[in-house]
Amino acid sequence: MPLTPLKSLAVPDWSREREMLDGDDFTDAELVGNLADLRRINHWLGGVWLTLNGLDRLAQGVAAGSPLTILDVATGGADIPQAMRRWALRRGFDAEIVASDLSPRILRTVDGAARAGLDFVVADARRLPLSDRSVDIATTSLSLHHFQPVEAVEVLTEMRRVARRGVVVNDLLR
């Protein structure tokens, strides 16, 4: 399916209005509530499905029992990596799933049960601390719109650099 050039779409101007997660001036209760909202959005509006559908496509040809390494960039509350873990188990993959975020504070909100089967790392999405082609698949969900356009390109470039099979992106226009 050919891609439609972005300049031919009716794209609104990029918003510079801050969202809660763009800063650090919120209480722990507000952070937990915001991440719970994002979890519901990902579940009910299809973010989980979009990401898992992308994983299905990129994992074609990978045999059950084979290793598969997935990096989730700007993971937030790690609801997407949790869904990836269930997806990998259903397909019989020996999956290593790494959830990364720039904010240690955000990563600390992920409780013990939700951490099962996942690895966590503090990392800047614009400068991932990984070697070239060191993971099979890199994903990100609802994060690119938090970056300035030039920075979003840096994030995508980094994701492509570290991924052997491909990249899955789920986002919105801000």
Side-chain angles (χ1 to χ4, degrees):
M1 176 165 100
L3 296 176
T4 304
L6 190 58
K7 62 184 171 195
S8 70
L9 297 174
V11 179
D13 289 336
W14 185 80
S15 172
R16 287 180 172 71
E17 186 175 329
R18 283 176 40 119
E19 294 181 31
M20 177 186 283
L21 294 179
D22 292 330
D24 200 27
D25 53 343
F26 43 81
T27 67
D28 288 346
E30 289 171 326
L31 174 59
V32 168
N34 187 257
L35 293 172
D37 289 343
L38 289 171
R39 186 172 37 258
R40 282 188 291 278
I41 288 167
N42 280 326
H43 177 77
W44 290 107
L45 298 183
V48 171
W49 178 86
L50 286 168
T51 299
L52 298 183
N53 186 49
L55 292 180
D56 276 335
R57 290 176 178 207
L58 290 173
Q60 286 181 0
V62 177
S66 296
L68 188 69
T69 307
I70 304 169
L71 169 69
D72 189 50
V73 174
T75 199
D79 57 304
I80 298 288
Q82 292 164 21
M84 289 182 212
R85 178 81 176 133
R86 293 186 298 273
W87 168 87
L89 289 170
R90 284 192 306 270
R91 281 154 182 75
F93 295 132
D94 179 17
E96 178 184 2
I97 301 170
V98 179
S100 72
D101 202 284
L102 180 61
S103 171
R105 183 178 179 197
I106 289 174
L107 291 179
R108 282 192 300 271
T109 68
V110 181
D111 66 26
R115 288 181 169 275
L118 304 176
D119 295 316
F120 289 83
V121 64
V122 175
D124 185 336
R126 297 162 298 182
R127 288 175 288 290
L128 295 170
L130 300 169
S131 302
D132 294 357
R133 301 175 58 75
S134 57
V135 301
D136 291 301
I137 301 168
T139 68
T140 192
S141 179
L142 298 180
S143 68
L144 283 181
H145 69 276
H146 289 275
F147 294 93
Q148 297 288 328
V150 170
E151 293 174 317
V153 170
E154 291 173 348
V155 172
L156 293 170
T157 300
E158 278 293 279
M159 291 174 67
R160 185 63 193 119
R161 179 184 66 77
V162 302
R164 287 185 290 269
R165 290 185 157 270
V167 172
V168 177
V169 176
N170 163 33
D171 216 309
L172 51 87
L173 290 175
R174 181 172 170 175

